[in-house]
Amino acid sequence: MPDVAAEGLRVLFCGINPGLMSAATGHHFARPGNRFWPALHASGFTPRLLRPYEEHELPSYGLGITNVVERATARADELAADEYREGGERLRAKVERLRPAWLAVLGIGAYRTAFHDRTAPIGPQPTTLGPTRLWALPSPSGLNAHWTPQALAEEFTRLREAADGPDR
């Protein structure tokens, strides 16, 4: 699935891997129950609720989307740890090339495995990839019942405020 990305973005969002619906449609976060698009809008990253087929508008807001693992699956738990680690290496190279201000990984387990940090919390991370700052977000998947839509939007808002801050 192609990335939606450009050099110098404010935030490059990084999903775990494409779901089957996303792979079938060719659009990121395409499953109707996924909460990525509502959280993006509720947090103020976009002026209106975008649909997956409008993902091409994201760079105009300084935003982009990629994935840790390229292989599509029905559930992220179908991925092997090696796929996350290999994906983390590809992601590092991509970030080095694109140089977004922030890389936001959607899924704490994916972040911890891809970046070899088993204790990373949700939120800003102390490490960077060159000048790019890192943020671990909860997975927006509808399967992630630990995070309500409101709590997810609040965490996206924290990231937006950091990305819009004076030292962005």
Side-chain angles (χ1 to χ4, degrees):
M1 170 145 20
D3 292 340
V4 177
E7 291 183 13
L9 297 170
R10 278 189 310 155
V11 180
L12 178 60
F13 289 94
C14 182
I16 297 170
N17 72 308
L20 298 179
M21 177 77 72
S22 290
T25 64
H27 299 294
H28 295 270
F29 304 106
R31 181 165 288 294
N34 193 291
R35 301 168 300 170
F36 175 79
W37 299 104
L40 200 65
H41 173 61
S43 65
F45 271 116
T46 58
R48 66 181 180 80
L49 178 60
L50 298 176
R51 302 291 178 211
Y53 62 85
E54 296 175 305
E55 64 189 7
H56 64 277
E57 294 182 28
L58 288 176
S60 70
Y61 303 117
L63 309 173
I65 304 176
T66 188
N67 288 294
V68 176
V69 177
E70 296 173 356
R71 183 171 70 92
T73 61
R75 299 172 50 103
D77 61 8
E78 296 174 36
L79 299 170
D82 286 349
E83 290 179 280
Y84 283 109
R85 285 190 284 276
E86 291 167 10
E89 292 305 315
R90 279 192 307 276
L91 188 56
R92 283 178 182 82
K94 190 176 298 184
V95 166
E96 185 176 307
R97 187 179 77 252
L98 297 175
R99 296 188 170 271
W102 288 91
L103 173 67
V105 178
L106 296 149
I108 190 64
Y111 180 90
R112 288 173 176 165
T113 304
F115 290 97
H116 312 286
D117 184 351
R118 297 189 331 177
T119 62
I122 293 290
Q125 304 302 309
T127 57
T128 62
L129 293 178
T132 300
R133 289 162 284 184
L134 305 176
W135 196 290
L137 285 169
S139 170
S141 169
L143 298 174
N144 182 4
H146 299 292
W147 286 79
T148 65
Q150 179 180 347
L152 189 63
E154 288 169 4
E155 193 60 33
F156 272 58
T157 298
R158 287 183 58 214
L159 170 59
R160 183 192 47 76
E161 290 170 350
D164 290 347
D167 59 330
R168 60 182 192 148

